[in-house]
Amino acid sequence: MFTYETTDRKEARRFRMAQFNGRPATVRSAGATVTGRVRAIVESKSGAMAAWVVTIVPDEPKPAASAMRLAPRLCFAAEDDF
């Protein structure tokens, strides 16, 4: 799991909408990019500003396009002599 803290209301709302709709969310923080499902959003009012702690469960990485390439399909026309 990945934990991310933000003080931006718009970003927190985006994460809430992703959680509600079951869509993956992407976070870019300190050079790292994490894409996954939002598990929880908790508001923290410990400081002077409101902050939100977002918990994301990362998705499995997708295989590279070259690994997904299938063998070429060969179609041979059958010649029937009746």
Side-chain angles (χ1 to χ4, degrees):
M1 279 197 245
F2 179 77
T3 304
Y4 176 73
E5 186 172 344
T6 183
T7 57
D8 186 12
R9 288 181 180 266
K10 288 183 180 182
E11 193 172 30
R13 185 172 190 277
R14 182 176 65 89
F15 287 124
R16 281 193 185 133
M17 295 300 289
Q19 181 184 23
F20 180 76
N21 293 321
R23 295 183 185 149
T26 301
V27 176
R28 291 176 189 89
S29 175
T33 302
V34 177
T35 300
R37 305 288 174 174
V38 178
R39 181 169 216 179
I41 301 174
V42 179
E43 186 173 1
S44 172
K45 294 184 180 180
S46 61
M49 297 179 61
W52 291 268
V53 178
V54 181
T55 304
I56 296 178
V57 179
D59 289 339
E60 294 293 322
K62 294 183 180 180
S66 61
M68 292 180 58
R69 197 170 293 153
L70 301 174
R73 292 186 179 184
L74 300 175
C75 297
F76 296 104
E79 295 181 20
D80 293 329
D81 293 325
F82 289 105

